[in-house]
Amino acid sequence: MTDTTASPQAPTAESGLMVRAEQVHKSFGPLEVLKGIDLEVRSGEVCCLLGPSGSGKSTFLRCINHLEKIDAGRIRVDGDLIGYRERGGKLYEMRDKDVAAQRRAIGMVFQRFNLFPHMTVLQNVMEAPVLLRQAKKAQAREHAAQLLDRVGLGDKLGAYPGQLSGGQQQRVAIARALAMRPKLMLFDEPTSALDPELVGEVLDTMKDLARDGMTMIVVTHEIGFAREVGDHLVFMDGGVVVEQGDPREVISAPKHERTKAFLAKVL
């Protein structure tokens, strides 16, 4: 970490902020990928990140749960500084086990499903609560079955991932993330690896989560989803936030020329 400037008072859960990023920088060698990202996401909001490939969206998402270590700035989730402790205006990286404990409250769904092929759907969903939260197997099994029913897969408990379509596997991945009872869900282009006819079933599951009040940050190219479900849209390019605001306003009447050029190609 290179930034040691004392930051403003950390937000609390009562302030309504679930995520607060302040001047987040990230480089890979000489390549500066994030160039000072500021972002706030309120509890219960759906924030959609749009932008061309290489704009830093996925890297920023991975920084939120410390899968990537930031080089400067701060990220807080529900008032807690992620990955670091602050003393005297300086940041000190947490121990791995403490970072892992923070990650348990942040669900993440990737482009690829990463399910265990040798485990049934039910076993995939109940595995993490049993191993990481020491949940009793009977309770974990019951909760996993409820979650799979919630994502429309209540009849697939004994199936193996290889027996499912890509859309079904991604819905299992969503159920698996929910099994840890997260306060925040991160989605990194969750439909990009799916055949077009399977995209809708995953988006429908995400819409249901939004209606239930789950706070979500979604990296996506699905403009329709952003317009319909999003509360906050952020357009990134070149490692910076170019434009942000109400999704319907940004999509229908973008103010920045770079946003206009991007939307003209994807709409």
Side-chain angles (χ1 to χ4, degrees), residues 71-111:
D71 298 319
R74 287 158 175 78
I75 297 175
R76 291 184 173 89
V77 173
D78 204 19
D80 294 328
L81 190 63
I82 297 297
Y84 300 91
R85 289 191 174 88
E86 186 169 1
R87 293 194 297 273
K90 293 185 178 181
L91 299 182
Y92 300 87
E93 190 168 9
M94 288 180 172
R95 295 176 298 177
D96 288 347
K97 71 173 186 177
D98 295 325
V99 174
Q102 288 187 323
R103 286 199 191 111
R104 291 171 198 163
I106 305 172
M108 188 158 186
V109 177
F110 300 89
Q111 297 179 33

Side-chain angles (χ1 to χ4, degrees), residues 170-189:
Q170 191 62 294
R171 283 186 280 155
V172 174
I174 292 172
R176 180 180 58 184
L178 292 173
M180 293 296 287
R181 305 180 190 273
K183 61 180 72 173
L184 169 68
M185 285 284 287
L186 309 176
F187 293 86
D188 188 5
E189 299 192 33

Side-chain angles (χ1 to χ4, degrees), residues 143-215:
H143 187 222
Q146 291 171 349
L147 289 171
L148 286 164
D149 189 57
R150 180 179 180 181
V151 301
L153 294 171
D155 60 340
K156 300 291 185 181
L157 304 187
Y160 288 87
Q163 298 172 311
L164 304 180
S165 70
Q168 289 172 326
Q169 290 187 60
Q170 191 62 294
R171 283 186 280 155
V172 174
I174 292 172
R176 180 180 58 184
L178 292 173
M180 293 296 287
R181 305 180 190 273
K183 61 180 72 173
L184 169 68
M185 285 284 287
L186 309 176
F187 293 86
D188 188 5
E189 299 192 33
T191 60
S192 65
L194 301 178
D195 292 334
E197 65 269 21
L198 301 177
V199 168
E201 62 190 56
V202 174
L203 294 181
D204 285 344
T205 297
M206 295 169 65
K207 290 174 187 177
D208 287 341
L209 289 179
R211 282 191 288 269
D212 289 343
M214 175 62 73
T215 309

Side-chain angles (χ1 to χ4, degrees), residues 28-47:
F28 295 101
L31 178 63
E32 191 177 13
V33 178
L34 301 178
K35 303 174 183 178
I37 301 294
D38 291 312
L39 181 67
E40 292 183 352
V41 180
R42 303 193 72 78
S43 181
E45 275 190 341
V46 177
C47 177

Side-chain angles (χ1 to χ4, degrees), residues 24-27 34 47 62 74-75 88 132 153 179 183 185 208 215-216 220 232 234 239 241 243:
V24 173
H25 289 256
K26 174 65 182 178
S27 296
L34 301 178
C47 177
R62 292 171 63 86
R74 287 158 175 78
I75 297 175
L132 301 179
L153 294 171
K183 61 180 72 173
M185 285 284 287
D208 287 341
T215 309
M216 300 159 59
T220 184
H232 184 196
V234 176
V241 173
E243 186 169 348

Side-chain angles (χ1 to χ4, degrees), residues 15 17 118 131 134-135 148 191 243 247 257:
S15 72
L17 279 183
H118 63 289
L131 286 182
Q134 286 78 53
L148 286 164
T191 60
E243 186 169 348
E257 290 301 320

